[in-house]
Amino acid sequence: MVDTEELTQVESQEEVNAVEEQVEEIAEPTPEEKAKLEELESQKTVLNSDAEKHKQKRDELNAQTKEWKAKRDTLNAQVRELVEEAGKARETRDQYNQKVRDAKVVRDEWNTKVSEIRAKINELRPEKAEKVEGEQSLGQMKKELERLESLQQTTVLSSDKEKALVKSISELAKNIREKEKTEEGDEAVKDLVAQLREAKAKAEDAHKAVAECAEQAQSAHDNMLGLYQKADAIRKEADAAQAKFVECKQAADEEHRLHIEQIKSVHEISKSADGIKNKKTAAKKKRADAASKQEAKEIFDKFKAGEKLSTEDLMLLQKSGYL
């Protein structure tokens, strides 16, 4: 076989004809080259099929990656909302805890006031000239009344004992009212008693405020804990979605790498096939170059003979290196 790179510059029409004969011989692939081309085409078919499979798998994994990303983002958004809501619940709890502290201060102040007024009443309360021996004080009578009322509420009694207990409670309550009226008869004591009642009412109101605010604080605290627990549960789901996202992303990247690798292999095979197929084109070019050179030689001979040349003739001479 004659290599087209080794064909020499022709100087006559006979040499041009010889080149054409060589080109025709070169342009026709040999049986070995035909077999090689068939083998390369078969390899390309397999590689293209594999590349398409990797592409389809890559696209499927990319779609799954987007789904996991969307789920992760949705769950994380829910977590952020729950954490924000829990933060508001914590602020509410802290506000009520502060109200509890403030109400306790007020309650303690009124309790102190109650103690001070009660002490003054005890100082000003007149003692009876003839006090019956063993007579109970007003405080003792009230404690006894509380004991009897508690006994009535918590103990199962016979009908007779129940009636007797109710009668005792009624009489004791009546005696307490009479004793209170007697002790309040004195104007100074009466005024202090009024102050005492007001102070006790204020202390009770403050105590109720403490209880109510404490209940609200506990409710806000429980709500906060529930929200944080829910956020933690959803965060675990988001972390699982993130793991699946990474897994699918890595798998998709690997399928893409394999797809590109197969495509590169196809290109390499195409180059090899083109190298064989392009021998005919290269040979034809060589033949055209030889003919062009022969034409330029003939024009140059005319030029030396003094014949007039056209612009195209001069351009061909210049291109062929004669000028």
Side-chain angles (χ1 to χ4, degrees):
M1 182 183 297
V2 180
D3 192 335
T4 55
E5 297 297 329
E6 296 177 352
L7 294 176
T8 58
Q9 180 178 348
V10 295
E11 297 294 340
S12 65
Q13 185 60 45
E14 290 76 9
E15 291 176 322
V16 171
N17 293 336
V19 169
E20 291 180 348
E21 292 176 358
Q22 292 174 339
V23 167
E24 290 299 329
E25 180 183 354
I26 293 172
E28 182 66 25
T30 65
E32 290 80 5
E33 290 173 332
K34 289 181 179 180
K36 183 63 175 177
L37 286 173
E38 291 177 359
E39 180 185 351
L40 293 175
E41 286 299 322
S42 177
Q43 291 177 3
K44 280 177 61 177
T45 300
V46 173
L47 289 171
N48 278 324
S49 177
D50 290 344
E52 183 62 24
K53 290 178 181 177
H54 288 304
K55 179 183 177 183
Q56 291 178 357
K57 186 63 176 177
R58 177 201 65 188
D59 294 343
E60 291 174 2
L61 288 167
N62 279 334
Q64 293 177 25
T65 298
K66 291 179 180 179
E67 292 175 359
W68 285 115
K69 180 179 182 296
K71 183 175 182 179
R72 177 203 65 189
D73 293 344
T74 298
L75 292 171
N76 280 333
Q78 293 177 9
V79 169
R80 287 192 295 271
E81 290 176 1
L82 289 169
V83 169
E84 183 178 354
E85 191 175 349
K88 292 179 181 178
R90 182 177 62 249
E91 291 177 0
T92 300
R93 179 203 63 185
D94 294 343
Q95 291 171 359
Y96 276 109
N97 280 334
Q98 183 60 47
K99 289 180 180 180
V100 168
R101 289 189 287 271
D102 295 341
K104 282 183 177 180
V105 171
V106 174
R107 181 195 63 186
D108 293 344
E109 289 175 351
W110 282 113
N111 281 335
T112 300
K113 191 72 173 176
V114 167
S115 298
E116 292 174 351
I117 295 172
R118 183 173 286 129
K120 290 180 180 179
I121 290 175
N122 291 335
E123 290 177 1
L124 296 175
R125 180 179 294 144
E127 296 293 334
K128 289 185 177 181
E130 295 181 0
K131 184 176 181 180
V132 179
E133 184 178 356
E135 182 181 13
Q136 291 180 319
S137 66
L138 183 59
Q140 290 173 332
M141 293 171 68
K142 287 183 177 181
K143 288 182 179 180
E144 178 63 13
L145 179 62
E146 290 177 358
R147 187 186 71 79
L148 293 176
E149 288 176 340
S150 176
L151 180 64
Q152 182 190 22
Q153 295 173 2
T154 59
T155 305
V156 178
L157 302 172
S158 63
S159 177
D160 293 340
K161 289 183 178 180
E162 177 75 18
K163 290 179 180 179
L165 181 60
V166 170
K167 182 178 180 181
S168 297
I169 291 174
S170 178
E171 291 177 353
L172 183 56
K174 180 179 178 181
N175 293 335
I176 290 173
R177 287 194 298 273
E178 291 176 353
K179 193 172 185 65
E180 286 178 338
K181 288 180 181 179
T182 301
E183 292 184 352
E184 291 176 8
D186 183 89
E187 289 298 325
V189 174
K190 187 176 181 179
D191 182 59
L192 287 173
V193 168
Q195 294 180 29
L196 178 63
R197 288 176 177 170
E198 180 182 3
K200 290 173 67 176
K202 295 290 186 181
E204 182 62 25
D205 290 342
H207 180 71
K208 288 180 180 179
V210 170
E212 290 174 358
C213 291
E215 183 178 352
Q216 292 291 340
Q218 185 62 46
S219 176
H221 179 72
D222 293 341
N223 184 35
M224 178 195 71
L225 291 180
L227 290 168
Y228 276 133
Q229 290 173 354
K230 189 174 181 180
D232 288 340
I234 295 178
R235 185 180 289 109
K236 290 180 180 179
E237 293 184 37
D239 292 341
Q242 169 66 10
K244 295 296 293 184
F245 164 78
V246 172
E247 178 183 337
C248 289
K249 181 67 169 61
Q250 291 175 343
D253 290 344
E254 176 62 15
E255 291 297 328
H256 180 69
R257 185 189 67 79
L258 293 173
H259 169 70
I260 295 301
E261 186 177 277
Q262 300 294 68
I263 292 299
K264 287 181 178 179
S265 297
V266 170
H267 289 169
E268 291 298 324
I269 291 175
S270 295
K271 286 182 181 180
S272 298
D274 289 343
I276 297 174
K277 293 177 181 179
N278 289 339
K279 287 181 63 178
K280 184 174 183 179
T281 302
K284 286 182 178 180
K285 184 177 184 302
K286 190 70 175 179
R287 181 173 58 185
D289 290 343
S292 177
K293 192 69 174 177
Q294 177 61 29
E295 183 181 1
K297 182 178 181 301
E298 292 173 358
I299 294 173
F300 186 67
D301 290 340
K302 292 179 182 180
F303 175 73
K304 289 191 295 181
E307 295 183 19
K308 187 176 180 180
L309 302 179
S310 67
T311 302
E312 292 181 356
D313 292 339
L314 291 174
M315 290 179 65
L316 181 58
L317 289 176
Q318 186 178 14
K319 183 179 179 180
S320 301
Y322 282 95
L323 294 180

